[in-house]
Amino acid sequence: MAVIELDALTREFRQPRRFDGPLGAIRTLLTREYTTRVAIDAMSFNIEPGESVAYLGPNGAGKSTTIKMLTGILVPSRGMARVLGNAPHEHRRENAKRIGVVFGQRSQLWWDLPLRESFDLHRRIYQISPERFRENLAFCESVLHMDAFLGTPVRQLSLGQRMRGELAMALLHDPEILFLDEPTIGLDVLAKDRIREALRTVNRERGATIMLTTHDLKDIEEVCERILIVNLGKLVYDGKIAELRAMLGNQRRIVIEFRHDPGTIGIEGGTLVEDRGLRKTFAFDRGNIPPLELLGRLPADLPVADIAFQEPDIEEVIRRLYRSMEADRPDQEEIDTWTRGRVVTQ
Amino acid sequence: MTLYLAFMMKSFRKHLAYRSEVWLRIVIGVIWVGIQVAIWDALIGSGEVDGISLRNMITYAILNTVISLSLMDRTLSEVDQKIRSGDISVELIKPFNYMLTVFADQLGRSLFIATFTVVPTVAVTALLFGFQLPASVGHFLAFGCAMGLALAISFATSCMIVMFAFYFLATFHFQWAMGALKTLFAGSLVPFWFYPSQLRAVAELLPFQFLGFFPAATWMGELPDSDIVRQLLLGLGWAVALLGFCAWLWSRITWRLVVQGG
């Protein structure tokens, strides 16, 4: 059975209408008119136990709104959301014990207490048995490398240390699902690696389901198998990373640097896409030819100085997808007329 | 229950970390008592006014200084900041009652202050200016009950300010108004004995008396027994009503955060 089920989930936000012009401020104060903005528009998908899902989208696409509804701190306007079989907002506290949540931009640690004491409070809040707590803490310490700063008050921790602390908090009570809203935001490369490694371990070894939002596409490549992409509150892509890559960029490139210009050359199965004399780039269809065989096809007497393979990275793929969505996006004037058309008079 | 007890103890330990604050509070407490003693010395001198001597007023000043120190009115900044920044949503995800944890946290602070500020401040000021012990064991017990009410009521009033701030997006005005009401109706500086009778009648109906005048006057045995019992019951009513109002406001606020999205 799916651990997360969304069926036509919709969330609207209502704001008092704002007026421009010299008397606009007064009209804004007195108005009973509201504009309705649809943040999540009839979204449906399921997530099975043990999956690791990246939930992507440009800023303002509705990612955080979805996470808020799934953790029960925002009530859906219409449609259904179920987490572990319950409607999250109706069973907020019961669900809380079975899920772990990390908001990259908000802290859940107690500012004045050493990390260790935050964990101890957490143990009492979630009623974790002492043995379980000890085991989990040892696990977190080892995968997150936290032993050096467990006794330090949270306010003195670096951002990377704090985020590792946040993640540990979310893991201590054996959550069945982990919701992570930008867990690596603002971290350096090493700290990001540690977080990703921990997430991978938790997902593969402990079988926790992971749903994470991020703008760092390396997070996805290293942690997630499936990606969901939203834009303007609608699901626009749901599938494996490899499939998306195949859909948008199914090419591998090989860049060869020569010691001196070899003149015109060709490689079987490849097309020359860029020729700068000493540096030539060929493109091959992915999957057809293994890279080593490609090298074998080069004539042996070429004056090769260096060879590099270029993978179409996921970043490029997503960038292209976002750009194509931009094109579909109505421009500002259109949005204005659209919202004006939906003005509701109370 | 043990959870909230744990919150209380953590808060107690947390305050141990700020040692210079402890010394500073004691020094300021002693100075503040000294100022009041100087004023009452100038006003009363060696005689009596309405049967109140300088010695009585010194005790009253010491008591009120330490009562103000231990009140639970520091809830404001932390909760207010969380509501504004939206961090409050993090608290809603956890399987506990957030306001109870704040209460436990404040109680831990008051406990800390009672141990490390109130006791030394009373000792020093008693040595410097003299201090009356409670009128009787019964009065001391009644004083304990009155302090319980003082903690509950001070917590409720400071919570109300924060919660109003959620709706009106401004704390300052409510804080200012509450400060003014407390100055007049708590009697921390000037006891109700010196109030005109109509004003005293009003003050004795309001909840603010429990933040100053009532516990101090009870300690000193300046109130008839029947009055003490009556006022304790009134205070209990106020505490329940105010805390109930806060709980209702809090449920409205969570509803608004969750249903309307902030």
Side-chain angles (χ1 to χ4, degrees):
Chain A
M1 200 193 79
V3 284
I4 299 175
E5 298 165 78
L6 267 67
D7 187 16
L9 185 70
T10 302
R11 174 69 217 200
E12 291 168 347
F13 289 103
R14 221 174 52 145
Q15 283 149 343
R17 191 174 161 196
R18 287 186 182 280
F19 295 89
D20 300 328
L23 292 175
I26 295 168
R27 280 187 73 190
T28 303
L29 279 178
L30 297 175
T31 186
R32 304 282 289 166
E33 286 178 22
Y34 291 90
T35 47
T36 306
R37 190 173 64 78
V38 183
I40 296 293
D41 194 358
M43 194 178 293
S44 307
F45 60 80
N46 283 357
I47 294 178
E48 302 297 325
E51 276 197 281
S52 51
V53 179
Y55 191 57
L56 310 181
N59 289 327
K63 299 187 297 289
S64 294
T65 308
T66 317
I67 299 273
K68 278 187 181 167
M69 284 195 277
L70 293 178
T71 50
I73 50 176
L74 193 63
V75 177
S77 305
R78 279 188 300 283
M80 180 204 78
R82 277 183 191 286
V83 172
L84 298 163
N86 294 323
H89 66 276
E90 285 167 12
H91 301 85
R92 196 167 65 219
R93 287 201 202 166
E94 297 95 288
N95 264 18
K97 294 197 172 187
R98 300 173 67 189
I99 63 174
V101 187
V102 175
F103 289 111
Q105 320 223 41
R106 305 192 190 288
S107 180
Q108 307 193 52
L109 300 165
W110 282 270
W111 207 239
D112 286 314
L113 295 178
L115 209 47
R116 195 187 296 282
E117 296 200 22
S118 272
F119 291 158
D120 186 53
L121 266 183
H122 191 80
R123 176 175 74 77
R124 290 164 195 269
I125 295 169
Y126 288 85
Q127 294 160 353
I128 309 165
S129 73
E131 310 88 69
R132 204 77 203 98
F133 179 72
R134 223 174 303 122
E135 263 172 52
N136 285 345
L137 190 57
F139 170 79
C140 289
E141 271 178 59
S142 68
V143 291
L144 290 164
H145 310 271
M146 294 193 305
D147 25 332
F149 53 89
L150 268 180
T152 317
V154 172
R155 67 189 133 80
Q156 291 172 11
L157 295 180
S158 74
L159 184 60
Q161 292 172 331
R162 213 198 71 208
M163 276 314 297
R164 281 184 267 163
E166 303 274 356
L167 183 57
M169 283 266 278
L171 292 176
L172 284 174
H173 56 284
D174 287 320
E176 292 159 62
I177 308 176
L178 263 180
F179 292 100
L180 307 146
D181 197 0
E182 304 198 29
T184 58
I185 194 165
L187 300 187
D188 66 41
V189 184
L190 192 65
K192 280 184 178 178
D193 275 345
R194 293 206 164 131
I195 300 257
R196 289 172 190 145
E197 190 196 323
L199 290 177
R200 240 185 349 246
T201 316
V202 170
N203 176 240
R204 309 227 164 124
E205 288 175 20
R206 308 201 139 193
T209 310
I210 289 181
M211 180 168 180
L212 71 85
T213 76
T214 184
H215 287 291
D216 187 325
L217 300 162
K218 247 193 129 195
D219 288 354
I220 312 162
E221 289 196 301
E222 298 200 356
V223 180
C224 303
E225 278 155 10
R226 175 179 167 196
I227 44 183
L228 299 171
I229 301 178
V230 280
N231 190 34
L232 297 172
K234 286 195 154 96
L235 196 63
V236 294
Y237 180 80
D238 177 359
K240 295 234 183 301
I241 294 188
E243 289 164 8
L244 181 68
R245 195 184 263 146
M247 203 167 83
L248 287 163
N250 193 22
Q251 273 193 337
R252 170 181 286 141
R253 289 173 176 213
I254 177 167
V255 185
I256 308 174
E257 299 235 19
F258 298 97
R259 281 192 296 274
H260 51 84
D261 198 333
T264 315
I265 55 159
I267 308 175
E268 190 195 333
T271 40
L272 184 68
V273 288
E274 200 185 349
D275 188 352
R276 289 194 184 162
L278 284 179
R279 184 187 170 129
K280 298 185 200 299
T281 309
F282 297 89
F284 295 87
D285 269 353
R286 269 176 72 90
N288 291 348
I289 319 155
L292 275 177
E293 197 180 312
L294 269 180
L295 291 180
R297 288 183 187 181
L298 289 175
D301 54 345
L302 279 179
V304 174
D306 198 7
I307 292 182
F309 286 99
Q310 278 182 350
E311 294 291 320
D313 60 345
I314 189 76
E315 199 148 337
E316 179 56 32
V317 171
I318 303 267
R319 198 177 298 133
R320 276 163 66 184
L321 186 71
Y322 282 6
R323 213 176 288 138
S324 69
M325 293 188 310
E326 287 281 314
D328 298 337
R329 181 176 273 201
D331 61 17
Q332 196 51 47
E333 205 184 294
E334 248 180 280
I335 293 175
D336 286 348
T337 30
W338 177 72
T339 40
R340 220 172 286 133
R342 288 177 156 238
V343 166
V344 187
T345 312
Q346 291 277 302
Chain B
M1 193 60 216
T2 55
L3 166 67
Y4 299 107
L5 215 60
F7 265 99
M8 197 175 96
M9 292 323 292
K10 294 276 185 220
S11 162
F12 187 89
R13 298 247 293 281
K14 178 173 82 185
H15 284 93
L16 276 174
Y18 301 100
R19 269 175 299 188
S20 52
E21 220 177 82
V22 174
W23 292 109
L24 217 58
R25 256 200 305 261
I26 295 174
V27 171
I28 290 171
V30 172
I31 293 175
W32 183 228
V33 171
I35 293 172
Q36 294 178 77
V37 170
I39 294 172
W40 291 113
D41 187 25
L43 288 172
I44 300 177
S46 53
E48 278 188 2
V49 175
D50 296 342
I52 302 294
S53 69
L54 176 62
R55 195 171 126 74
N56 294 144
M57 278 322 298
I58 291 172
T59 301
Y60 190 84
I62 294 176
L63 282 170
N64 267 293
T65 303
V66 295
I67 290 169
S68 317
L69 279 173
S70 34
L71 289 181
M72 290 165 57
D73 50 8
R74 305 299 152 92
T75 330
L76 282 168
S77 52
E78 193 196 320
V79 184
D80 188 45
Q81 182 246 326
K82 279 195 174 166
I83 289 180
R84 271 160 208 268
S85 67
D87 282 353
I88 200 79
S89 55
V90 173
E91 307 295 343
L92 297 180
I93 293 175
K94 293 186 178 154
F96 59 44
N97 183 326
Y98 174 62
M99 285 323 281
L100 277 182
T101 67
V102 175
F103 184 81
D105 184 82
Q106 289 293 300
L107 205 57
R109 177 184 172 274
S110 291
L111 202 67
F112 175 83
I113 288 182
T115 331
F116 289 100
T117 308
V118 169
V119 172
T121 306
V122 170
V124 173
T125 48
L127 278 175
L128 288 175
F129 311 110
F131 182 61
Q132 297 171 332
L133 292 177
S136 73
V137 176
H139 284 96
F140 181 69
L141 291 179
F143 168 80
C145 297
M147 277 313 290
L149 294 175
L151 293 181
I153 289 171
S154 62
F155 180 76
T157 49
S158 69
C159 277
M160 270 160 53
I161 294 179
V162 179
M163 293 178 186
F164 286 155
F166 175 79
Y167 290 101
F168 297 97
L169 297 172
T171 353
F172 172 75
H173 315 82
F174 296 106
Q175 239 173 313
W176 186 80
M178 196 63 86
L181 283 171
K182 271 189 201 164
T183 309
L184 184 58
F185 292 115
S188 302
L189 277 180
V190 182
F192 294 174
W193 309 311
F194 302 130
Y195 278 26
S197 58
Q198 285 101 332
L199 189 62
R200 179 172 183 173
V202 174
E204 282 183 336
L205 289 174
L206 294 175
F208 304 102
Q209 59 179 309
F210 300 98
L211 308 181
F213 173 77
F214 180 71
T218 306
W219 172 287
M220 295 166 67
E222 293 290 338
L223 298 173
D225 290 353
S226 59
D227 278 19
I228 293 180
V229 174
R230 193 192 64 219
Q231 292 305 87
L232 278 177
L233 288 175
L234 176 75
L236 189 65
W238 269 117
V240 170
L242 290 172
L243 289 173
F245 182 58
C246 282
W248 178 77
L249 267 181
W250 180 243
S251 70
R252 293 285 307 168
I253 287 175
T254 20
W255 180 84
R256 214 170 114 155
L257 283 170
V258 167
V259 177
Q260 298 190 359

